[in-house]
Amino acid sequence: MALLGRGLLALALAIAVYGVVASIAGARAGGTRGEAWTTSGRRAVYLVAALATVSFLLLEVAFIRTDLRFEVVADHSSSTTPLLYRIAAPWSSQEGSLLLWVWLLSLWSSLVLWRTGRRMADVVPWAQAVLLGLAAFFLLLLTAFTSPFSTLAQVPFEGVGLSPLLQYPSMMIHPPMLYSGYTLFAIPFAFAVGALAAGHVGADWIRSTRRYALGAWLLLGIGLVLGARWSYAELGWGGYWGWDAVENAGLMPFVLGTAFLHSVMIQEKRGMLRTWNASLILGVGVLCILGTFIVRSGVLSSIHAFGSSTLGIPFLILLATMIGGSIALVTWRRDLLRSEHRIDSLLSREAFFLAGNVVLVGLVLVILWGTFFPLIGEALTGQQRPLETVWWGRFVGPLALVLTLLMGFGPLAAWRRTTAAHAWRQLRGPLAVALLALAIGLALGAGGHLEVAIAVLLGGFVLGAVGQELQRGVRVRRTATGEPLPVALGRQVGRNRRRYGGYLVHAGIAVLIIAVAASSAFKDQHRVHANVGDRFRSGGYELRYEKAIGTWKTQADGSGEKIQKIILGAQVGIYRDGKRLQTMRPTREYFPSTDVSLGPVSRFFLGESATEVALDPGIRRDLWLAMQPDGDALAELLRAVDDRLKKNPAPFAASADAAVRIADFYRQRPSPVTFQVIVSPLVTWIWIGALLAGLGGLLAIWPAPDLQTRRVRARHAARVARDLGRAPAGD
Amino acid sequence: MDAVAALIVLAALAIALFVLGQPLWPGREQAAAGRHDLRRADLDAAKIAKYREIRDAELDHATGKLSDADWQAIDRRLRADAVEILHELDGLGTAPEAPEDPPPAAAGDGHDPAAATTGEGGPPDAAPAGRL
């Protein structure tokens, strides 16, 4: 299987390289000969997709079977790893994630080329060449630098296992979502390069790739939210966003992609901002590769980067090529890229979109600076220190608020121009909603923090604007058709999906921004050292440490039952005003290590461990509770048991029993525990806001009802009307 | 086992050579599309996008964002663009049977505002087909 995998990847690389050459030959030859070369290049894309699919399936089979002959399986899985996590384990490894990258890229490339068909015949060959070039780069890494099909000379008796931090449901789909976003953004990137190379710089390439850009934005956004949720519920520090290098790596293309999705509308409608749009998507493409580079190179320390690698140099070469090539292409085509029109009025939708673009690009520059500042610091001081959260809040906070304001103005303005009188008529309603929201916010205590009050005011403005737009659109439809409200609403939204999908995204982001501001400003956080029976207070709750938990979980494999993890925890009663509300059970889970030098019983506790947070989410506030047993007391106990076991002739024979007995001992005679308690308001609304934004994205991307079917229906209805001698009713 | 793997890779290589080489065989080029067909596909996409713009402007006007004067000016310009696209489409010769996809009646023509709400470049469900 290893030879097969390596052979198929090498074949895929050869085909990808051939495809690049064939596609460029097709672009340069033109005519029927050129089309033949282009068709051959296109088939290369399909073949790479097929080979990458088979290769990925082979790797999956190796993980599912825990085939420890494979180095990647031995390093990232084990016989005690549950099946679902074994399926997801390939992308926890560098090799597997690179294979996932090239697999997804080849699938999306095949899809876009199949759907594009014969359109954009001058652009497509260049786009093909770019997509195959990217695939060839990753296939080269997989064949020459870090093969997922490398085998071990000596097969270990057990694998290292999947990092316990990754054994979390959303982590199974978080990387594929991020990588889908990255690879989908490669589509508009490649078509932009193709449009520039072919000198076909109108809006055609934008129309052909708009859905892919939107899909990339949506999937990247889902990936970011899943990552934030994982960080909040699993990492044990109580936050959902830590401005970590890897988090930022995914956020930057998302933010710049947001700018692109807005500014392309200006090019579509007005023929403006061609240079800007081309530069934006080329920048997004570069940031997607930069994101992969940050995760995979290990240049920046991160809680999310699971191991560093030697792939930094190849990635730097690719990045340099992409940046240099992008600048050269835009400079070469600067005459063609000149805008057909200028902005007619500052009171127009394009003016607000442009302002929003400037803010979004500013946001990306701030994040870029903040992400790479530790590297600059390291060059100067020899020490890599990430920037404080306060720094991020100081720069990102105001930009986010300005963006929220523009999100409200954008939908209210018309394309080209709006008169002052019309603008005022549009603004009155949303302003009233904004003031109402502020009044409610102040009544609930938002006045204590200026940034929260401003977020509530601006968020209310956005929600008011979106609500007004929807209400007016439905009213127009009802006036014209007499349809009942639900029917008119459904049809109005269904037939203007792009517009109302975008508005729903705005509403979701507004909710999210209010929730982020409130949950950050009013977070109540305590760290408490406690023994069984102790009581302490936090955020209006009384918590009582009632008893200790000491247990274990086993997993069966071919050789019998094995300890999967030892669990130490605490049972905590939650009270409010003397009334018991519920019981929470935060735990700390210890996964056995294969490193026997740690000690016969210590290896069950000193390998990888993970915090299992106890979370009580609510519409108004979340109660978040984590615990950490006293490390010194536990280490002392482990040392004592290790010493005793080492005196046995076969110290490891009874080590599993001893580990279980320690868990029992801990339950009966627990050492002190450090609790971390966080009570923060409106966190649930972050996820609700994100969900709304995701639904909006989905609505905008969803294809319109089949046009051909509607045309046929229209023809038939018209014929019926003609035959009956009267006009058709309704629409 | 290794021999089987090598055979599978060789078989894949043979299939790849066939699939990649086939479009380049002599005589296959005749099947390639005419340039007119390719241009028509691009123009059809441009036409649909232009119609969507006209409908967007309609909706903006109907919901009170555009004054009558502004809307009429914008609508005239968009329709002139659409006419240019249709003109070029006509210049490409007879197209395969494809019903048109008209926007609502021009600004100031006493149009039905409901037409603006039918959106997304599609025709009103029961509107008779016709040209601009």
Side-chain angles (χ1 to χ4, degrees), chain A residues 46-301:
Chain A
Y46 299 152
L47 282 171
V48 168
L51 292 170
T53 303
V54 176
S55 303
F56 196 78
L57 285 175
L58 287 176
L59 188 63
E60 277 290 356
V61 169
F63 269 96
I64 290 168
R65 291 169 53 192
T66 317
D67 191 340
L68 297 174
R69 288 174 300 169
F70 289 89
E71 196 176 347
V72 67
V73 177
D75 286 346
H76 296 91
S77 189
S78 69
S79 59
T80 58
T81 305
L83 175 65
L84 282 176
Y85 293 121
R86 288 209 297 275
I87 292 171
W91 45 85
S92 72
S93 67
Q94 172 171 275
E95 302 86 341
S97 64
L98 292 177
L99 184 55
L100 177 68
W101 219 102
V102 77
W103 179 49
L104 292 170
L105 176 70
S106 62
L107 289 183
W108 301 131
S109 303
S110 302
L111 180 68
V112 70
L113 291 173
W114 176 64
R115 301 240 337 142
T116 303
R118 293 159 128 188
R119 285 182 291 119
M120 306 195 66
D122 49 347
V123 174
V124 164
W126 294 108
Q128 264 176 212
V130 173
L131 292 168
L132 283 164
L134 284 171
F137 171 80
F138 282 92
L139 287 166
L140 180 68
L141 296 183
L142 289 167
T143 48
F145 290 85
T146 175
S147 173
F149 298 107
S150 292
T151 49
L152 292 164
Q154 200 169 3
V155 180
F157 73 94
E158 182 55 290
V160 172
L162 180 65
S163 170
L165 288 175
L166 299 179
Q167 296 190 30
Y168 184 75
S170 72
M171 265 299 108
M172 290 178 63
I173 46 173
H174 163 73
M177 288 291 132
L178 283 184
Y179 280 18
S180 292
Y182 286 160
T183 49
L184 266 172
F185 266 134
I187 305 294
F189 171 83
F191 273 73
V193 171
L196 289 168
H200 186 154
V201 294
D204 291 347
W205 70 272
I206 289 171
R207 280 196 288 272
S208 291
T209 60
R210 189 184 68 82
R211 280 212 164 81
Y212 297 91
L214 200 49
W217 179 89
L218 179 62
L219 293 178
L220 198 51
I222 292 172
L224 289 170
V225 172
L226 289 176
R229 176 75 196 173
W230 168 73
S231 177
Y232 181 61
E234 184 72 9
L235 280 191
W237 66 286
Y240 40 78
W241 196 265
W243 297 108
D244 178 271
V246 169
E247 294 171 352
N248 297 345
L251 184 62
M252 284 188 286
F254 178 79
V255 174
L256 205 62
T258 307
F260 173 74
L261 285 171
H262 285 83
S263 65
V264 288
M265 283 190 253
I266 304 177
Q267 183 171 341
E268 274 188 272
K269 291 195 182 287
R270 305 290 318 276
M272 295 161 58
L273 302 184
R274 288 172 171 176
T275 309
W276 179 257
N277 287 328
S279 305
L280 278 182
I281 196 60
L282 294 175
V284 171
V286 168
L287 287 175
C288 287
I289 297 296
L290 182 72
T292 312
F293 165 71
I294 288 175
V295 180
R296 289 294 148 211
S297 67
V299 292
L300 288 161
S301 54

